[in-house]
């Protein structure tokens, strides 16, 4: 399937990406780190750092999380052990759920 030329995102998703970008930018400025330094440490381009900070939806989530980690920005929990515990709980839950979700088939009409 071809990639759509323009993809629409929900307001919540756009605002969340903008919030993450603003948090990353303020953390970078507070620590006195340049965009070039962050890009070099993360192994990405300066342009991608700018796109992450602007909250652009096409930016890689992995790159955004890496930049946040480099800047010491905690996104979920302040304690790494707590994050590990939550991750373990979610993986346990996923192990119990089905591996895939299939569309429900239409109910057969058997009233003749």
């Amino acid at each position: 399937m071809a990639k759509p030329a323009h993809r629409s995102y929900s307001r919540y998703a756009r605002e969340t990406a903008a919030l993450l970008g603003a948090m990353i930018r303020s953390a970078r400025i507070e620590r006195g780190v340049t965009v070039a330094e962050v890009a070099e440490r993360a192994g990405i381009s300066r342009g991608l750092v700018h796109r992450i900070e602007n909250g652009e939806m096409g930016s890689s989530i992995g790159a955004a999380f890496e930049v946040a980690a480099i800047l010491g920005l905690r996104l979920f929990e302040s304690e790494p052990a707590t994050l590990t515990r939550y991750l373990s709980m979610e993986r346990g839950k996923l192990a119990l759920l089905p591996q895939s979700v299939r569309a429900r088939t239409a109910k057969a009409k058997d009233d003749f």
Side-chain angles (χ1 to χ4, degrees), residues 58-75:
S59 302
S60 164
I61 192 167
F65 283 173
E66 182 62 22
V67 169
I70 287 170
L71 295 171
L73 185 61
R74 299 285 181 202
L75 299 176

Side-chain angles (χ1 to χ4, degrees), residues 53-101:
E53 289 183 352
N54 290 332
E56 290 187 20
M57 296 298 289
S59 302
S60 164
I61 192 167
F65 283 173
E66 182 62 22
V67 169
I70 287 170
L71 295 171
L73 185 61
R74 299 285 181 202
L75 299 176
F76 294 102
E77 293 290 332
S78 59
E79 295 293 324
T82 305
L83 182 62
T84 303
R85 187 174 73 245
Y86 284 145
L87 181 58
S88 176
M89 287 172 32
E90 285 301 315
R91 285 183 175 158
K93 188 188 324 179
L94 287 170
L96 298 174
L97 293 172
Q99 293 296 313
S100 63
V101 178

Side-chain angles (χ1 to χ4, degrees), residues 108-112:
K109 294 182 181 182
D110 57 358
D111 56 332
F112 296 101

Side-chain angles (χ1 to χ4, degrees), residues 7-19 55 57:
R7 180 177 171 142
S8 62
Y9 294 97
S10 69
R11 180 179 176 186
Y12 177 79
R14 289 189 314 269
E15 288 179 352
T16 303
L19 174 62
M57 296 298 289

